Structures are given as C-alpha cells and as structure tokens.
Amino acid sequence: MSSAQPLLTTRPEVQTDNKVATEKLWKVVVWNDPVTPMPVVTLVFKKIFGYPQEKAEQLMMTVHHEGRAIVWSGGQDRAEHYVVQLHVHGLLATMERDD
Amino acid sequence: MARSRLFPRRRDGHVEVKLNGHAREFIAQQMQKVVDADHDAQHPWHSHVHSPMNPSADTDDPLRVLQRQKETASNAELALLTVKEEQLTLVEAWAWLTTMQIALRNHVVARGAFENDSLEGIDEAELSEIRDLQYLLFELAKALE
C-alpha cells in the first residue's frame, strides 16, 4: 500500500459554468476635419483596410456628413494597428470599446 | 483644352512629377516642417505630431507610439530626399502624400481650427498654404487611385 501523500492538499478551483472567454471588440473611429480633401480620405481607406471604392466612398461621406464614422471593428491589437496607420496617413482617428 | 495632370501615372507604375521649381520649393518647405516637428520639441507642430494614440485609454502603448513616430518621420524624410525627382515609385509617392497630409493637418490643428470646423481666423498667408496643399493632395490622390 502506498503511503505517498498527494502534493496538493487543496483542490484547484474548477470552473463549472459554461462561459467562454471572448475578446472585447473595439471600434476604430475616423473624425471629420475641415481641410482634408475627400479623395484623400477615400484613398487612405482603400489602402489601409482594402475596402472597395464604393465602401471607402460611403465611409468618407459618413465622416463628412456626420462628423465621424466607425470604419472598422474587431480585436484590440488590430484596432491599434489601424489607428496608427490612420495617424501616419494624417487622418484623425481614435478607438473606442464596443460595449 | 484639358488641363494636364501634375502627377501623371506612367505605364510602369511610376508617378511623374510635373511641378515647377516654385511648387517643388513649396512642397520641400512643408516636408521640412514635418521633419523638424518630429525632431524639435520646441516646434509648434511637435505636440500635434506626438498627440495621444488612444484618448480613450489611460496610457498609450509605447510601442504603438514609437511605431507611429518612426513611420511618420521616415515618410517625411523619404519625401524630402525625393523632392527633386522627376518620377516617383509608388512608395515614394505615398510618402509625399502622407507627409503633405500631415503638414496640411498640422497647419489647421496648430491654429485650433479643428475644433471650430472652420478656417476662420487663419491669416491669408497660411490660408494660401492650406489651399495649395489641398490642391497638390487632390492631384496626387488621382495618381494613386
């Protein structure tokens, strides 16, 4: 008969609920400004996000008329990457948690 | 007669630069301002070039800040290095566009006109620079479509 004692004297917590850890979503927001030419905004959206002309133009018009547009949403890391790229291209961009 | 383009796209993908000496000098000055703004903490544009990455967070990710700073600076330096070229590669043309756009934005941000969404209060000389940059950006964007 083995006299070995268990190394752990307390049982680890076992999670019993069925929650799945999900990454929170972030929104990338581009803001209107009074000077950037419209074709430049469209062009930058096409380059950074790979959007087709029609979608890029639609987002540009949303920025122009509504003052801002959500141009992308997804994981935090990619959202940060896109904000960096938008800044590098001279557009005003921020990111917000998608609650 | 149709007005000829300032930045016609060649069949080999390069972008021709059909600017006179005055226009090149103007663009070079704008590019130099962006380079200086990055290097010189006293430059009026410095704080705008280094504005917060993510205002919704308490602190910015320093690696992301560094990435933005490096990309902005290297674009501006590449643009300045190629300002006398007769033709640009696509990478160089994009460096021109991003640097001119950064300059355009900083002209306005530094005057606080972003908040007003209007250009009122900006003096005539600076307004003229803004209009010239807008025109050049509009023309260059056609070549990169």
Side-chain angles (χ1 to χ4, degrees):
Chain A
M1 192 175 101
S2 170
S3 62
Q5 295 294 309
L7 293 173
L8 287 174
T9 55
T10 55
R11 294 176 62 191
E13 293 284 332
V14 177
Q15 197 165 342
T16 53
D17 58 19
N18 294 320
K19 281 182 187 168
V20 177
T22 53
E23 190 184 10
K24 289 204 167 146
L25 289 182
W26 288 77
K27 297 181 285 193
V28 174
V29 181
V30 171
W31 298 81
N32 191 35
D33 72 64
V35 287
T36 304
M38 289 180 177
V40 172
V41 180
T42 304
L43 192 63
V44 170
F45 287 168
K46 283 167 66 180
K47 184 190 180 205
I48 292 178
F49 300 104
Y51 292 153
Q53 178 74 21
E54 195 178 336
K55 180 168 183 178
E57 268 180 3
Q58 191 181 25
L59 286 169
M60 178 275 292
M61 292 307 288
T62 304
V63 174
H64 181 67
H65 290 301
E66 297 178 19
R68 57 173 260 166
I70 296 162
V71 294
W72 188 85
S73 66
Q76 183 176 6
D77 204 43
R78 283 182 71 187
E80 284 179 350
H81 167 77
Y82 286 140
V83 169
V84 168
Q85 289 308 309
L86 289 161
H87 286 189
V88 166
H89 287 77
L91 299 188
L92 187 59
T94 56
M95 52 191 282
E96 299 171 357
R97 206 187 294 265
D98 193 0
D99 292 324
Chain B
M1 196 174 93
R3 207 169 168 184
S4 62
R5 288 189 168 198
L6 293 181
F7 301 100
R9 184 81 174 262
R10 289 165 41 127
R11 283 187 181 177
D12 64 5
H14 285 68
V15 176
E16 277 188 56
V17 182
K18 296 195 166 183
L19 298 175
N20 61 24
H22 177 72
R24 279 183 195 270
E25 181 60 29
F26 169 74
I27 289 178
Q29 284 171 3
Q30 303 301 318
M31 292 168 174
Q32 186 66 57
K33 284 181 186 178
V34 177
V35 171
D36 292 346
D38 182 60
H39 296 161
D40 178 6
Q42 303 303 317
H43 194 282
W45 292 359
H46 182 81
S47 60
H48 307 301
V49 171
H50 293 261
S51 58
M53 284 293 310
N54 179 10
S56 58
D58 291 336
T59 54
D60 286 333
D61 178 346
L63 290 178
R64 295 291 186 190
V65 173
L66 186 63
Q67 182 191 351
R68 179 184 66 178
Q69 191 180 333
K70 278 176 69 177
E71 285 192 39
T72 302
S74 60
N75 277 339
E77 281 161 12
L78 176 61
L80 198 53
L81 279 172
T82 55
V83 76
K84 291 183 179 169
E85 296 292 334
E86 296 298 322
Q87 53 180 289
L88 305 171
T89 65
L90 275 186
V91 170
E92 291 162 352
W94 269 104
W96 279 44
L97 184 125
T98 56
T99 304
M100 287 196 289
Q101 172 61 23
I102 295 273
L104 172 67
R105 193 178 145 204
N106 281 320
H107 272 289
V108 181
V109 175
R111 293 277 178 262
F114 248 46
E115 287 74 17
N116 304 331
D117 201 26
S118 119
L119 301 179
E120 284 175 25
I122 295 183
D123 64 64
E124 199 54 46
E126 189 144 23
L127 207 53
S128 171
E129 286 190 34
I130 289 169
R131 299 289 181 225
D132 288 346
L133 274 170
Q134 284 177 316
Y135 176 65
L136 290 163
L137 278 164
F138 191 85
E139 286 293 309
L140 186 52
K142 285 187 212 166
L144 296 172
E145 277 173 353

